[in-house]
Amino acid sequence: MIFEAFLNNIDLFKKAELGGLESQFRLAPKMRLQYNAEKIAASSPKKAAVLALFYPNEHNETCFLLTQRASYKGTHSAQISFPGGKIEGSDINLQATAIRETFEEVGVTANQIKIIREITDVYIPPSNFLATPFLAYSETKPTFKINHEVDHTFDVKLSDLLDDNNITSINITTSYAKNIDVPCFKLNDYIVWGATAMMLNEIKELLKIVS
């Protein structure tokens, strides 16, 4: 999709009905399906926010940003994700959290970011976070400046996200489960699974209404 087409449909993206949990659960590991709203609330999850940022590449194709987290001794080491993190006392709301974290992690300033809408929260059991994703765009491709939390960034073409052939499954071992089959996206030869894949599937189904 050329970027002008993406921009021309922003009002439609804002008004369209979200797929919600039904959409997200199509790319959810089986253990995520055990959590309903009541069980999530009982876990008293910490609040966080992430940003799905779209922009044009050098060929004027619509792309979005993903990061590979730095390696560390923790639950989400080296995983593929959107920029984002937990809410802090200085944040007036979760949208502010997403924008602040994006600046801290990849150097995109607030004045470059235009929020389209909030999408459905995703519960992340291993770290007990409830993450609120925000769909946003920048009119030009930002210059990314990563901090210590990020190993590197990469662009993914929206056309690749919309291509059903890029959905597959893998068998993985995590810090909390062994030899489990999980649905995932394969994007730019990266495997994207878990919470990020769940968010991406809701975004995919929202944006696919104009493809």
Side-chain angles (χ1 to χ4, degrees), residues 163-194:
D163 185 350
D164 291 338
N165 292 321
N166 289 324
I167 294 177
T168 184
S169 65
I170 56 167
N171 183 274
I172 62 171
T173 294
T174 73
S175 59
Y176 54 90
K178 292 184 178 180
N179 294 320
I180 56 171
D181 292 319
V182 298
C184 62
F185 288 98
K186 188 174 182 181
L187 300 168
N188 297 25
D189 292 325
Y190 292 91
I191 297 298
V192 185
W193 67 283

Tab-separated table of all heavy atoms in Angstrom, residues 163-194:
chain	number	residue	atom	x	y	z
A	163	ASP	N	-0.416	-10.012	4.082
A	163	ASP	CA	-0.283	-11.260	3.317
A	163	ASP	C	-0.471	-12.462	4.252
A	163	ASP	O	0.373	-12.727	5.117
A	163	ASP	CB	1.104	-11.300	2.655
A	163	ASP	CG	1.286	-12.498	1.748
A	163	ASP	OD1	0.436	-13.417	1.754
A	163	ASP	OD2	2.305	-12.534	1.033
A	164	ASP	N	-1.559	-13.202	4.057
A	164	ASP	CA	-1.852	-14.349	4.924
A	164	ASP	C	-0.775	-15.421	4.857
A	164	ASP	O	-0.666	-16.254	5.777
A	164	ASP	CB	-3.201	-14.966	4.552
A	164	ASP	CG	-4.371	-14.056	4.902
A	164	ASP	OD1	-4.198	-13.175	5.773
A	164	ASP	OD2	-5.458	-14.227	4.307
A	165	ASN	N	0.021	-15.434	3.803
A	165	ASN	CA	1.094	-16.429	3.688
A	165	ASN	C	2.184	-16.224	4.727
A	165	ASN	O	3.028	-17.108	4.916
A	165	ASN	CB	1.710	-16.390	2.292
A	165	ASN	CG	0.758	-16.883	1.219
A	165	ASN	OD1	0.012	-17.842	1.440
A	165	ASN	ND2	0.763	-16.239	0.069
A	166	ASN	N	2.188	-15.076	5.380
A	166	ASN	CA	3.205	-14.801	6.404
A	166	ASN	C	2.752	-15.182	7.805
A	166	ASN	O	3.416	-14.849	8.780
A	166	ASN	CB	3.601	-13.320	6.356
A	166	ASN	CG	4.410	-13.000	5.117
A	166	ASN	OD1	5.210	-13.815	4.657
A	166	ASN	ND2	4.195	-11.822	4.534
A	167	ILE	N	1.642	-15.904	7.901
A	167	ILE	CA	1.215	-16.487	9.172
A	167	ILE	C	1.600	-17.955	9.172
A	167	ILE	O	1.336	-18.684	8.216
A	167	ILE	CB	-0.299	-16.332	9.386
A	167	ILE	CG1	-0.665	-14.862	9.540
A	167	ILE	CG2	-0.754	-17.114	10.621
A	167	ILE	CD1	-2.156	-14.611	9.694
A	168	THR	N	2.239	-18.399	10.246
A	168	THR	CA	2.661	-19.780	10.363
A	168	THR	C	2.638	-20.182	11.840
A	168	THR	O	1.966	-19.529	12.645
A	168	THR	CB	4.080	-19.954	9.735
A	168	THR	OG1	4.443	-21.328	9.779
A	168	THR	CG2	5.128	-19.126	10.455
A	169	SER	N	3.328	-21.239	12.202
A	169	SER	CA	3.459	-21.627	13.612
A	169	SER	C	4.846	-22.195	13.833
A	169	SER	O	5.487	-22.679	12.899
A	169	SER	CB	2.385	-22.635	14.015
A	169	SER	OG	2.567	-23.846	13.313
A	170	ILE	N	5.295	-22.117	15.073
A	170	ILE	CA	6.603	-22.652	15.442
A	170	ILE	C	6.495	-23.380	16.771
A	170	ILE	O	5.572	-23.144	17.550
A	170	ILE	CB	7.673	-21.548	15.562
A	170	ILE	CG1	7.236	-20.471	16.567
A	170	ILE	CG2	7.993	-20.945	14.219
A	170	ILE	CD1	8.345	-19.519	16.969
A	171	ASN	N	7.451	-24.243	17.014
A	171	ASN	CA	7.559	-24.921	18.297
A	171	ASN	C	8.690	-24.259	19.078
A	171	ASN	O	9.816	-24.169	18.585
A	171	ASN	CB	7.849	-26.414	18.102
A	171	ASN	CG	7.884	-27.164	19.417
A	171	ASN	OD1	8.911	-27.229	20.079
A	171	ASN	ND2	6.744	-27.728	19.791
A	172	ILE	N	8.380	-23.766	20.265
A	172	ILE	CA	9.367	-23.031	21.043
A	172	ILE	C	9.389	-23.508	22.487
A	172	ILE	O	8.462	-24.161	22.969
A	172	ILE	CB	9.095	-21.510	21.022
A	172	ILE	CG1	7.742	-21.203	21.663
A	172	ILE	CG2	9.172	-20.958	19.617
A	172	ILE	CD1	7.505	-19.727	21.869
A	173	THR	N	10.457	-23.157	23.154
A	173	THR	CA	10.587	-23.336	24.607
A	173	THR	C	10.826	-21.967	25.210
A	173	THR	O	11.705	-21.225	24.762
A	173	THR	CB	11.743	-24.277	24.951
A	173	THR	OG1	11.420	-25.598	24.458
A	173	THR	CG2	11.959	-24.354	26.456
A	174	THR	N	10.018	-21.609	26.199
A	174	THR	CA	10.118	-20.305	26.843
A	174	THR	C	10.488	-20.482	28.313
A	174	THR	O	10.698	-21.603	28.789
A	174	THR	CB	8.787	-19.543	26.752
A	174	THR	OG1	7.844	-20.132	27.654
A	174	THR	CG2	8.232	-19.585	25.341
A	175	SER	N	10.526	-19.353	29.016
A	175	SER	CA	10.840	-19.396	30.443
A	175	SER	C	9.728	-20.046	31.256
A	175	SER	O	9.921	-20.397	32.421
A	175	SER	CB	11.077	-17.969	30.962
A	175	SER	OG	9.927	-17.164	30.747
A	176	TYR	N	8.535	-20.220	30.650
A	176	TYR	CA	7.401	-20.745	31.415
A	176	TYR	C	6.734	-21.961	30.751
A	176	TYR	O	5.758	-22.491	31.282
A	176	TYR	CB	6.350	-19.648	31.621
A	176	TYR	CG	5.897	-18.980	30.348
A	176	TYR	CD1	4.809	-19.472	29.622
A	176	TYR	CD2	6.549	-17.859	29.859
A	176	TYR	CE1	4.409	-18.872	28.443
A	176	TYR	CE2	6.144	-17.247	28.685
A	176	TYR	CZ	5.075	-17.754	27.989
A	176	TYR	OH	4.681	-17.142	26.824
A	177	ALA	N	7.237	-22.415	29.597
A	177	ALA	CA	6.662	-23.583	28.939
A	177	ALA	C	7.694	-24.203	28.006
A	177	ALA	O	8.543	-23.513	27.456
A	177	ALA	CB	5.412	-23.197	28.160
A	178	LYS	N	7.586	-25.540	27.812
A	178	LYS	CA	8.539	-26.252	26.968
A	178	LYS	C	7.824	-26.902	25.793
A	178	LYS	O	6.737	-27.459	25.922
A	178	LYS	CB	9.267	-27.321	27.780
A	178	LYS	CG	10.206	-26.762	28.839
A	178	LYS	CD	10.970	-27.873	29.551
A	178	LYS	CE	11.941	-27.312	30.570
A	178	LYS	NZ	12.690	-28.380	31.274
A	179	ASN	N	8.470	-26.817	24.625
A	179	ASN	CA	8.000	-27.489	23.413
A	179	ASN	C	6.529	-27.214	23.133
A	179	ASN	O	5.709	-28.135	23.021
A	179	ASN	CB	8.254	-28.997	23.514
A	179	ASN	CG	9.722	-29.328	23.544
A	179	ASN	OD1	10.525	-28.732	22.824
A	179	ASN	ND2	10.092	-30.287	24.386
A	180	ILE	N	6.194	-25.946	23.015
A	180	ILE	CA	4.818	-25.575	22.722
A	180	ILE	C	4.730	-25.036	21.296
A	180	ILE	O	5.642	-24.387	20.801
A	180	ILE	CB	4.285	-24.519	23.717
A	180	ILE	CG1	5.192	-23.278	23.750
A	180	ILE	CG2	4.124	-25.119	25.101
A	180	ILE	CD1	4.614	-22.118	24.537
A	181	ASP	N	3.625	-25.336	20.630
A	181	ASP	CA	3.372	-24.800	19.294
A	181	ASP	C	2.624	-23.485	19.439
A	181	ASP	O	1.596	-23.415	20.125
A	181	ASP	CB	2.544	-25.785	18.470
A	181	ASP	CG	3.324	-27.043	18.131
A	181	ASP	OD1	4.521	-26.925	17.808
A	181	ASP	OD2	2.742	-28.144	18.190
A	182	VAL	N	3.147	-22.444	18.802
A	182	VAL	CA	2.502	-21.134	18.888
A	182	VAL	C	2.310	-20.562	17.487
A	182	VAL	O	3.175	-20.710	16.618
A	182	VAL	CB	3.325	-20.144	19.746
A	182	VAL	CG1	3.460	-20.648	21.172
A	182	VAL	CG2	4.695	-19.882	19.147
A	183	PRO	N	1.169	-19.911	17.238
A	183	PRO	CA	0.985	-19.224	15.965
A	183	PRO	C	1.871	-17.990	15.921
A	183	PRO	O	2.190	-17.398	16.962
A	183	PRO	CB	-0.495	-18.851	15.967
A	183	PRO	CG	-0.842	-18.735	17.413
A	183	PRO	CD	0.015	-19.731	18.138
A	184	CYS	N	2.271	-17.579	14.738
A	184	CYS	CA	3.188	-16.441	14.639
A	184	CYS	C	3.138	-15.829	13.242
A	184	CYS	O	2.612	-16.419	12.296
A	184	CYS	CB	4.620	-16.875	14.960
A	184	CYS	SG	5.279	-18.105	13.805
A	185	PHE	N	3.682	-14.630	13.145
A	185	PHE	CA	3.966	-14.013	11.855
A	185	PHE	C	5.441	-14.232	11.539
A	185	PHE	O	6.291	-14.188	12.439
A	185	PHE	CB	3.720	-12.497	11.901
A	185	PHE	CG	2.283	-12.093	11.956
A	185	PHE	CD1	1.680	-11.775	13.162
A	185	PHE	CD2	1.522	-12.016	10.798
A	185	PHE	CE1	0.360	-11.384	13.215
A	185	PHE	CE2	0.199	-11.623	10.837
A	185	PHE	CZ	-0.393	-11.308	12.052
A	186	LYS	N	5.743	-14.436	10.267
A	186	LYS	CA	7.130	-14.413	9.803
A	186	LYS	C	7.288	-13.176	8.947
A	186	LYS	O	6.735	-13.097	7.842
A	186	LYS	CB	7.485	-15.666	9.015
A	186	LYS	CG	8.975	-15.749	8.690
A	186	LYS	CD	9.352	-17.070	8.034
A	186	LYS	CE	10.852	-17.134	7.781
A	186	LYS	NZ	11.239	-18.392	7.114
A	187	LEU	N	8.003	-12.182	9.471
A	187	LEU	CA	8.131	-10.881	8.820
A	187	LEU	C	9.612	-10.521	8.729
A	187	LEU	O	10.302	-10.481	9.740
A	187	LEU	CB	7.386	-9.815	9.627
A	187	LEU	CG	5.875	-10.054	9.810
A	187	LEU	CD1	5.303	-9.109	10.846
A	187	LEU	CD2	5.137	-9.905	8.474
A	188	ASN	N	10.094	-10.280	7.529
A	188	ASN	CA	11.523	-9.974	7.322
A	188	ASN	C	12.424	-11.047	7.920
A	188	ASN	O	13.495	-10.758	8.458
A	188	ASN	CB	11.889	-8.630	7.952
A	188	ASN	CG	11.172	-7.452	7.341
A	188	ASN	OD1	10.100	-7.592	6.780
A	188	ASN	ND2	11.760	-6.281	7.455
A	189	ASP	N	11.978	-12.302	7.860
A	189	ASP	CA	12.717	-13.448	8.418
A	189	ASP	C	12.775	-13.436	9.944
A	189	ASP	O	13.522	-14.222	10.541
A	189	ASP	CB	14.142	-13.533	7.852
A	189	ASP	CG	14.151	-13.892	6.372
A	189	ASP	OD1	13.269	-14.678	5.944
A	189	ASP	OD2	15.021	-13.378	5.644
A	190	TYR	N	12.001	-12.589	10.590
A	190	TYR	CA	11.868	-12.605	12.049
A	190	TYR	C	10.570	-13.326	12.412
A	190	TYR	O	9.561	-13.193	11.725
A	190	TYR	CB	11.804	-11.186	12.622
A	190	TYR	CG	13.083	-10.400	12.506
A	190	TYR	CD1	13.326	-9.601	11.383
A	190	TYR	CD2	14.049	-10.430	13.510
A	190	TYR	CE1	14.491	-8.855	11.272
A	190	TYR	CE2	15.217	-9.695	13.405
A	190	TYR	CZ	15.434	-8.911	12.285
A	190	TYR	OH	16.593	-8.177	12.169
A	191	ILE	N	10.623	-14.044	13.514
A	191	ILE	CA	9.435	-14.705	14.046
A	191	ILE	C	8.805	-13.791	15.096
A	191	ILE	O	9.449	-13.427	16.082
A	191	ILE	CB	9.774	-16.073	14.662
A	191	ILE	CG1	10.321	-17.015	13.580
A	191	ILE	CG2	8.556	-16.683	15.352
A	191	ILE	CD1	9.351	-17.313	12.456
A	192	VAL	N	7.549	-13.421	14.871
A	192	VAL	CA	6.837	-12.518	15.775
A	192	VAL	C	5.678	-13.292	16.384
A	192	VAL	O	4.765	-13.722	15.662
A	192	VAL	CB	6.315	-11.273	15.032
A	192	VAL	CG1	5.693	-10.292	16.017
A	192	VAL	CG2	7.430	-10.610	14.230
A	193	TRP	N	5.715	-13.485	17.691
A	193	TRP	CA	4.691	-14.296	18.344
A	193	TRP	C	4.273	-13.628	19.661
A	193	TRP	O	4.742	-12.568	20.015
A	193	TRP	CB	5.211	-15.723	18.591
A	193	TRP	CG	6.327	-15.814	19.594
A	193	TRP	CD1	7.634	-15.497	19.394
A	193	TRP	CD2	6.218	-16.202	20.966
A	193	TRP	NE1	8.356	-15.677	20.549
A	193	TRP	CE2	7.511	-16.107	21.528
A	193	TRP	CE3	5.155	-16.631	21.761
A	193	TRP	CZ2	7.761	-16.429	22.864
A	193	TRP	CZ3	5.409	-16.958	23.093
A	193	TRP	CH2	6.705	-16.867	23.621
A	194	GLY	N	3.370	-14.268	20.371
A	194	GLY	CA	2.969	-13.761	21.684
A	194	GLY	C	2.158	-12.472	21.580
A	194	GLY	O	1.384	-12.265	20.642
